[in-house]
Amino acid sequence: MKITENTSQRLVIISRRKIIADIIFAFFLGGGAIFTIMMAGQNMLAAVNVFALFMGLLFVAVGVWGLFKNAADHVALDATTRTLTITRRTLLRSTPREIAFSDLADVRVHSGDECQTVAFILADREEIPLETAYSGNPKAAAFARQIREWLQGHDDPPVVTPLKAT
């Protein structure tokens, strides 16, 4: 997670795909595929061979799921439009989600099993974590505090000054 822009009107945070997660999921996919191919040629009358084939297919499924689930996030907080835009990019698609500042309840550190990330809490209590693959990010608390402070500086609606005719 990295802050790439921090101005009075805009705060932008990016979170790249976790490369280590991609490597692990590719290992699951490749290992499962090799194991499945090897077991497909065996005698399927033996229960152990059927079980082994099933385990190979399970590894393939986990690998495919992980590679398609792992995502890169682009988060933009815009004081002018008073919106938070989260764009999540996976291998096949990019999914933007726009949230009004008035719908944000809090910014917290979401933790579990010694892994943590920053999460936006909406007024309806929905949690939106910034990373799909949690990491042992020691800076998550500092990021959450910085986002919270930026949002607190933008509680009031922006002042719009009309243009003067010349």
Side-chain angles (χ1 to χ4, degrees):
M1 211 175 332
K2 179 180 178 183
I3 293 178
T4 59
E5 183 181 342
N6 187 358
T7 65
S8 62
Q9 293 300 309
R10 194 165 160 82
L11 179 67
V12 178
I13 303 161
I14 60 167
S15 175
R16 291 190 237 157
R17 286 178 66 93
K18 300 293 180 227
I19 299 301
I20 191 71
D22 280 343
I23 291 169
I24 291 169
F25 288 127
F27 173 77
F28 268 81
L29 176 63
I34 290 169
F35 196 70
T36 301
I37 291 168
M38 287 175 25
M39 293 313 299
Q42 299 297 320
N43 178 7
M44 285 298 130
L45 296 177
V48 71
N49 290 345
V50 172
F51 178 74
L53 178 65
F54 174 74
M55 290 306 294
L57 290 172
L58 184 65
F59 268 58
V60 168
V62 168
V64 168
W65 175 82
L67 287 172
F68 284 100
K69 181 73 174 160
N70 194 10
D73 294 325
H74 181 272
V75 178
L77 293 102
D78 191 332
T80 307
T81 60
R82 302 195 47 77
T83 58
L84 159 70
T85 306
I86 300 172
T87 305
R88 193 157 277 161
R89 269 182 322 169
T90 60
L91 283 179
L92 296 179
R93 67 177 181 210
S94 182
T95 311
R97 181 170 181 187
E98 205 165 277
I99 301 162
F101 282 1
S102 59
D103 293 336
L104 287 175
D106 198 7
V107 180
R108 292 190 190 141
V109 175
H110 183 86
S111 343
D113 298 330
E114 296 187 29
C115 294
Q116 51 195 13
T117 188
V118 175
F120 290 101
I121 313 300
L122 302 183
D124 64 359
R125 298 189 183 191
E126 179 185 357
E127 267 189 44
I128 304 172
L130 289 189
E131 297 173 299
T132 55
Y134 295 145
S135 62
N137 188 350
K139 297 180 182 179
F143 276 114
R145 185 174 53 255
Q146 191 168 2
I147 294 167
R148 199 176 300 117
E149 288 170 358
W150 191 92
L151 282 168
Q152 286 171 350
H154 296 87
D155 281 342
D156 299 323
V159 176
V160 179
T161 47
L163 296 173
K164 292 182 181 178
T166 55

